[in-house]
Amino acid sequence: YNGRGLTLERLGKAEEAILDFGRAIQSEPNVAAYHRNRGAVLLSKCHHEEALVDYEKVVSLEPRAAGSYYLRGLYWAHMKDWAKSLADYTEALTLNPSLAEAHVNKANVYMQQGKMDDAIAECTAALEIHPISRDAHGKAYLNRGIAWANKKEYNKAKADLEMVLKVDPSPEMGKSVRGWLHKIEEEFK
């Protein structure tokens, strides 16, 4: 059921995927991956309470796994509960200091709170991790560039934003970067 649920999710059939993940959980209730997978789909479909139940179960089944806290941190960030999100990202990083994505998402929370220096520090920490995924690498430079721009440190912002295009040349990232670069150029005038 879990494999079929993953396939259904990839096909955009979220409600059917949720049902199959539920069947997998019924047959083996203590497999964290099944709860993790269902929680992700539930959250994407805005079934917040149900997603939290699954994420809490993942943490209870894998209390020493950084990913458990990272996922619950994503949930809390989605719900804009910054304190709980930061606590879970911090715990994830305590368990796995090389989890670059947790640094990047922790930076996002700090940016939401207006704590640009903390956001810059988290992005820098993410960039010091090797190897790092292209996605996390690009987001770390993007977030740090945005934080620099918010501090009116435009030369540093521009340098980081230009690095984004080198490490993640995807169209989505390019569009975001070009918007910020345009904004910075306007501020320089």
Side-chain angles (χ1 to χ4, degrees), residues 3-104:
R4 190 168 68 185
L6 291 169
T7 300
L8 289 167
E9 179 191 7
R10 280 191 288 276
L11 293 173
K13 298 179 179 184
E15 297 303 325
E16 292 176 53
I18 290 168
L19 292 174
D20 270 355
F21 292 135
R23 290 180 186 110
I25 290 167
Q26 282 179 337
S27 67
E28 296 180 82
N30 292 324
V31 177
Y34 301 165
H35 291 279
R36 185 180 307 114
N37 293 339
R38 185 173 70 177
V41 178
L42 287 166
L43 187 59
S44 75
K45 300 308 285 180
C46 296
H47 298 296
H48 300 123
E49 294 80 18
E50 297 96 332
L52 179 59
V53 169
D54 274 332
Y55 287 147
E56 294 287 357
K57 184 68 174 180
V58 171
V59 169
S60 74
L61 292 170
E62 296 180 336
R64 303 302 306 152
S68 302
Y69 295 94
Y70 173 74
L71 287 174
R72 194 172 64 182
L74 290 174
Y75 168 82
W76 290 122
H78 184 81
M79 299 304 293
K80 297 183 178 13
D81 190 327
W82 309 129
K84 288 181 180 177
S85 182
L86 283 174
D88 275 345
Y89 291 146
T90 300
E91 182 62 22
L93 288 165
T94 298
L95 295 168
N96 181 0
S98 297
L99 188 57
E101 292 81 0
H103 284 292
V104 171

